[in-house]
Amino acid sequence: MPRERVLAAAGYAALTLLCLAAMAWTVFTGIARLNLSGNAVEVRLTECHREDGARNTTHTACSGPAPSTTGLGTVEVRYEGRQGETIRVARTPWGRYEAVDTGFVSWGIAVLAPLLPLGAAAATGALAVREIRRARRTACSGGAA
């Protein structure tokens, strides 16, 4: 098998896996933001401050104590709010908290956002399969000659 074809197939397969991981992240974040798992808790924000983000951006990070029945301690969430406000938050599988928003736009984003990485995964997966077939075809014709 030609080395270039094998490397191309491995690269496309790696991109496919990365796209599938991005899709899983968007799905689980959407589930948390829409509270489809049903594990949301109400948190009264006791502190809000601005934090620097990537590429010279800033966002508001808020924190507050979770209800004593959950035993979560302090909950930190990225939320454009102010101190004293009570919000509902849900936990994602990786331990971060997301503010619950069940509005129409949030539903649209949660449904449509995973489609972009899914389409990219399908495209790179098809390219990986094509490169594998070309490598096999080249190896078979090279051995017969």
Side-chain angles (χ1 to χ4, degrees):
M1 274 192 226
R3 180 180 167 106
E4 296 82 23
R5 297 255 187 240
V6 173
L7 289 176
Y12 286 133
L15 283 174
T16 302
L17 292 176
L18 286 173
C19 290
L20 289 174
M23 185 196 67
W25 182 82
T26 57
V27 166
F28 287 122
T29 301
I31 287 171
R33 284 185 182 158
L34 296 174
N35 192 28
L36 296 178
S37 60
N39 65 350
V41 294
E42 288 195 5
V43 175
R44 183 172 181 84
L45 302 177
T46 57
E47 178 193 356
C48 291
H49 60 276
R50 301 292 284 174
E51 288 185 353
D52 292 332
R55 297 184 182 159
N56 296 327
T57 62
T58 59
H59 62 271
T60 302
C62 296
S63 63
S68 60
T69 58
T70 60
L72 298 175
T74 302
V75 173
E76 295 180 7
V77 64
R78 187 182 285 188
Y79 179 71
E80 299 293 328
R82 56 188 177 280
Q83 294 176 351
E85 192 175 349
T86 301
I87 63 169
R88 293 178 65 202
V89 297
R91 190 173 187 170
T92 59
W94 43 89
R96 188 170 168 214
Y97 287 90
E98 294 285 337
V100 173
D101 183 9
T102 57
F104 179 74
V105 173
S106 293
W107 272 96
I109 291 170
V111 170
L112 296 176
L115 296 180
L116 283 171
L118 178 63
T124 56
L127 290 171
V129 169
R130 184 186 74 180
E131 288 299 323
I132 290 170
R133 287 181 180 163
R134 283 184 178 176
R136 283 185 183 169
R137 196 176 322 129
T138 304
C140 290
S141 65

